[in-house]
Amino acid sequence: MTDVKELLLSRIRDVPDYPKAGVMFKDITPLLADPTAFTALTGALADLCVEHGATKIVGLEARGFILAAPVAVRAGVGFIPVRKAGKLPGATLAQSYELEYGNAEIEVHAEDLAAGDRVLVIDDVLATGGTAEASLQLIRRAGAEVAGLAVLMELGFLGGRARLEPALLGAPLEALLTV
């Protein structure tokens, strides 16, 4: 796993002062453009899916979709997109959450998750944890069980893990990289 971590880290580019001054943005597009690194990432996340007994994978909009869909294919489980409000047709379940600058809402198709589903949530980055926390609540409201949360990268200095621990209810939080 050390080799995989080194490979992934080597393909993440730091972009200073983006999207605003003082922020060091972690750009994963070089990783996605490298088939060896992207395959390694997909494999590592698929291994977590199997390890935690997930039967479905939720990908969080938008970069979580990019990671979660190939992981679901590789692990042989279903992929469920969790989208920003108003983006899904038909009946949905919604969960609102607070941001530092206001409120937001995410949705899932009402029929996509049910009792008996074990769901692994996948996203690119864990920052403050607001979207991830809302997704865990949404999964449970749908009657499914949270198998865990897996991210490519955790920004440890933002405290997302501490915020999520109560919402995880003992389910694992797996970060392939922590910065």
Side-chain angles (χ1 to χ4, degrees):
M1 188 56 140
T2 301
D3 291 341
V4 170
K5 288 182 179 189
E6 289 174 8
L7 174 62
L8 298 177
L9 272 173
S10 75
R11 300 303 188 274
I12 296 171
R13 177 177 54 181
D14 286 343
V15 181
D17 299 321
Y18 183 82
K20 62 182 185 176
V23 173
M24 180 65 74
F25 184 79
K26 300 293 188 183
D27 181 15
I28 68 167
T29 57
L31 187 158
L32 300 174
D34 180 330
T36 301
F38 195 19
T39 298
L41 171 59
T42 301
L45 291 171
D47 289 347
L48 291 173
C49 178
V50 171
E51 178 183 331
H52 298 304
T55 59
K56 291 189 177 171
I57 291 178
V58 155
L60 302 182
E61 188 166 346
R63 290 178 299 204
F65 295 174
I66 297 167
L67 304 184
V71 170
V73 169
R74 184 156 179 179
V77 301
F79 167 72
I80 310 298
V82 168
R83 308 254 0 232
K84 294 175 183 168
K87 301 288 184 180
L88 293 172
T92 60
L93 294 175
Q95 182 67 45
S96 61
Y97 61 102
E98 291 184 23
L99 301 166
E100 60 236 25
Y101 51 85
N103 294 316
E105 189 172 55
I106 55 173
E107 294 179 331
V108 67
H109 277 128
E111 71 276 3
D112 286 350
L113 297 171
D117 289 333
R118 284 188 46 81
V119 182
L120 179 68
V121 177
I122 293 181
D123 205 3
D124 64 329
V125 173
L126 173 60
T128 62
T131 307
E133 181 180 35
S135 73
L136 299 174
Q137 294 168 351
L138 190 58
I139 290 163
R140 288 192 179 101
R141 282 188 41 235
E145 179 184 348
V146 174
L149 169 65
V151 297
L152 164 59
M153 185 175 13
E154 177 181 354
L155 305 179
F157 60 93
L158 291 176
R161 182 176 291 268
R163 175 182 183 165
L164 285 175
E165 290 202 350
L168 283 163
L169 299 175
L173 168 52
E174 307 271 7
L176 298 180
L177 305 170
T178 302
V179 296

